[in-house]
Amino acid sequence: MSSLLTSPPAPGAVLLCNIRLIDRTGTEVVTSDLALGLARRGWRVTVYSPVTGALADALSPHVEVVAEIGRLSTAPDVIHGNHNPTLAAAMARFPSTPALQICHDARDWKDAALRFTRVRQHAAVDRACQARIAAELDCAPDQVALLPNAIDLNRCRPRGPLPERPARVLIVANRDGSHVAAVRQACELAGLEHRAVGYGVGQPAFDLEADMAWADIVVGAARIALEAMAVGCAALVCDARGLAGMATAERFDLWRDWNFGHRLLVNSLDPQAILAALATYDARDAEAVSARARADCGLDPALDRLEAAYHRIQAIEANAGPVDGDAEALIMARYLQGWLPLDPTTGPFAAELVGWRDRAVQVQRKLEGLIETLARRGQTVSFQEGPDG
C-alpha cells in the first residue's frame, strides 16, 4: 500500500536537442510544444539547436534556447535527442548525463540510432521508426518504446460541424509540393474550391490551424493529418510521397500506429485516384475521427509518457554504476569517423548528396535546352556571375 502513496519524482532539468528551430514543421513543432509543456509542469528546460530562426525567437522568452554547444554550462538530468548530430554533441558536452533518443523518421540519416551506453532508452514515434531502430540496434522491436506524436489541443481549436457535402480543400505542402498539381486537378474535377499552403508551394503557413478551419478537407500526412483531425476537418492522408486515403474511424488505430505516415502512402498520385478518395468524404465519420484524435492524441498524455520515460532513465542511470569512459570514447570516435567527407557516395547523407546532384544535372539539361530554343529564335542568354562566382 505504501508504494501507492509514494509521491511521483519531482521535475528536473532536461536538454532538448533538435537539428533546427526555424519553421513550424515536423520536429520543430514537436520540440516547441514539448519544451513549453514541460516548462509548465515545472521542468527546467533548455533547447539546443545549432540552426535557429523565427521559431527559436518565439520560444526563447519562455525557455532557454542555445545555438552554440559551448554556451551549455550546467549539466541537465536528462538529454532528449530528436536527431543524432545534436544528441551526440550534447552527450560529448555532458559525459555523465543519460539520454533518451526518439526516432521521428524511418529513413532520414539524422534519425539513425546512436549506440552510446548512456542512451538509456531508444524510442520511436511509430511502428516504422520502431522497426528501423530495432534493426539498427539488433534488438527486438518491443525494446524500442513507442512515444507517438501529439498535438496541442489549445492551438487546434475545433472548427465546428462539417457540411454534408464538402466545398473547400486545403492542400498542405510541408516541404515538397510535387503532389499539389495532381490534388488540384482532382479538386477541379470534383468541383471543390481549393488552396495550397506550405513551404513546398512558397506559401508558408504561420497559422496553419486557422487555415485548416477554413477547409472541410485537409490534404496532408503525418502530423499535418493529425492536426487536421483535431481541428475537425476530414483528413485525406496524402503528400508528395503518395496517397493513403481518407482517415476513418475504422482505420484510426492502425494508421495512428504508423503515424499517418510514409508506410501508408502506397497509392500513386493519380488525379483519378485522388478524386475517388475525395469522394469517400463522410461528415459524421470525420467528426468521430476528430473526437478520437482529441481524446487520444493531446499533448498532456504525451507529456505524461515522456516524464515517465525521463524518470525511468534517471533510475536506470542511478543503478547502472559508472560508465566505461573508454568504451564511450570509442563509440564517439566511430560515430565521428562516419562523418568524415572522404567520398560523396558514403557517409550519413550520401543519398541526399546524390539526390541533389541528380536534380542539378536535370536542371542543367533543361537550362541548356532552353538556351538552344532561344538561340534558334535569334535570342541569346548570358549570365552575370556574382561576387562568389
Side-chain angles (χ1 to χ4, degrees):
M1 178 66 71
S2 60
S3 62
L4 297 177
L5 301 177
T6 301
S7 299
V14 59
L15 173 62
L16 302 179
C17 304
N18 209 65
I19 206 163
R20 50 181 279 147
L21 205 62
I22 300 176
D23 309 315
R24 294 200 63 81
T25 63
T27 56
E28 293 166 280
V29 173
V30 170
T31 301
S32 177
D33 284 352
L34 293 180
L36 294 172
L38 289 166
R40 287 194 297 268
R41 292 187 173 204
W43 287 82
R44 300 183 301 283
V45 179
T46 302
V47 180
Y48 164 53
S49 176
V51 183
T52 57
L55 188 58
D57 293 341
L59 189 58
S60 58
H62 309 285
V63 301
E64 182 182 17
V65 178
V66 173
E68 210 299 299
I69 195 70
R71 290 188 57 200
L72 296 169
S73 56
T74 304
D77 298 309
V78 178
I79 301 171
H80 170 146
N82 291 326
H83 301 119
N84 62 53
T86 47
L87 175 57
M91 294 183 73
R93 177 68 185 86
F94 300 114
S96 300
T97 303
L100 164 73
Q101 182 182 13
I102 302 183
C103 176
H104 291 264
D105 192 298
R107 297 178 293 185
D108 202 352
W109 56 267
K110 59 184 175 290
D111 287 80
L114 287 181
R115 293 178 172 269
F116 290 93
T117 304
R118 284 182 296 120
V119 178
R120 297 298 186 183
Q121 177 70 71
H122 286 89
V125 299
D126 66 7
R127 297 290 181 188
C129 294
Q130 185 185 51
R132 172 192 182 162
I133 298 302
E136 291 176 348
L137 296 177
D138 193 23
C139 69
D142 61 7
Q143 291 183 253
V144 180
L146 271 178
L147 295 176
N149 275 331
I151 43 181
D152 185 347
L153 297 179
N154 292 321
R155 195 171 63 243
C156 297
R157 298 286 186 182
R159 51 144 283 159
L162 287 167
E164 289 299 320
R165 293 177 60 84
R168 298 190 293 262
V169 176
L170 182 72
I171 310 163
V172 182
N174 211 12
R175 289 287 177 194
D176 187 337
S178 57
H179 63 301
V180 172
V183 179
R184 285 188 187 277
Q185 187 176 341
C187 290
E188 295 289 345
L189 292 170
L192 296 170
E193 183 182 354
H194 52 84
R195 289 170 45 200
V197 298
Y199 295 95
V201 292
Q203 296 288 334
F206 299 108
D207 192 3
L208 182 57
E209 297 80 11
D211 290 326
M212 288 179 173
W214 167 86
D216 305 318
I217 300 173
V218 173
V219 179
R223 183 183 184 86
I224 299 300
L226 194 57
E227 289 177 343
M229 296 174 214
V231 170
C233 304
L236 180 60
V237 181
C238 169
D239 67 13
R241 297 168 292 181
L243 167 69
M246 198 73 75
T248 65
E250 182 179 3
R251 294 168 170 167
F252 185 86
D253 288 329
L254 175 62
W255 284 19
R256 167 74 162 150
D257 278 351
W258 296 96
N259 196 33
F260 305 96
H262 82 272
R263 290 285 181 88
L264 303 173
L265 304 173
V266 296
N267 299 307
S268 66
L269 293 168
D270 175 73
Q272 290 296 329
I274 297 170
L275 177 64
L278 289 169
T280 64
Y281 171 91
D282 182 323
R284 302 289 80 75
D285 190 74
E287 289 171 1
V289 169
S290 180
R292 286 293 310 278
R294 295 190 69 84
D296 299 346
C297 307
L299 188 58
D300 281 336
L303 290 171
D304 291 342
R305 293 189 291 267
L306 197 57
E307 286 187 285
Y310 291 167
H311 293 311
R312 186 165 58 248
I313 287 165
Q314 289 177 271
I316 292 171
E317 183 72 12
N319 294 315
V323 171
D324 185 335
D326 187 62
E328 286 279 282
L330 179 58
I331 294 169
M332 179 65 79
R334 286 173 173 162
Y335 174 77
L336 294 174
Q337 180 176 276
W339 286 81
L340 290 176
L342 300 176
D343 185 337
T345 63
T346 62
F349 39 83
E352 284 192 18
L353 292 176
V354 171
W356 282 110
R357 183 189 62 191
D358 291 346
R359 290 180 66 179
V361 169
Q362 292 173 13
V363 170
Q364 179 68 26
R365 288 173 180 167
K366 290 179 180 179
L367 180 60
E368 290 170 353
L370 177 60
I371 292 172
E372 290 177 4
T373 300
L374 293 172
R376 287 194 295 270
R377 297 176 181 176
Q379 297 173 290
T380 59
V381 178
S382 62
F383 297 94
Q384 182 177 355
E385 293 187 351
D388 297 328

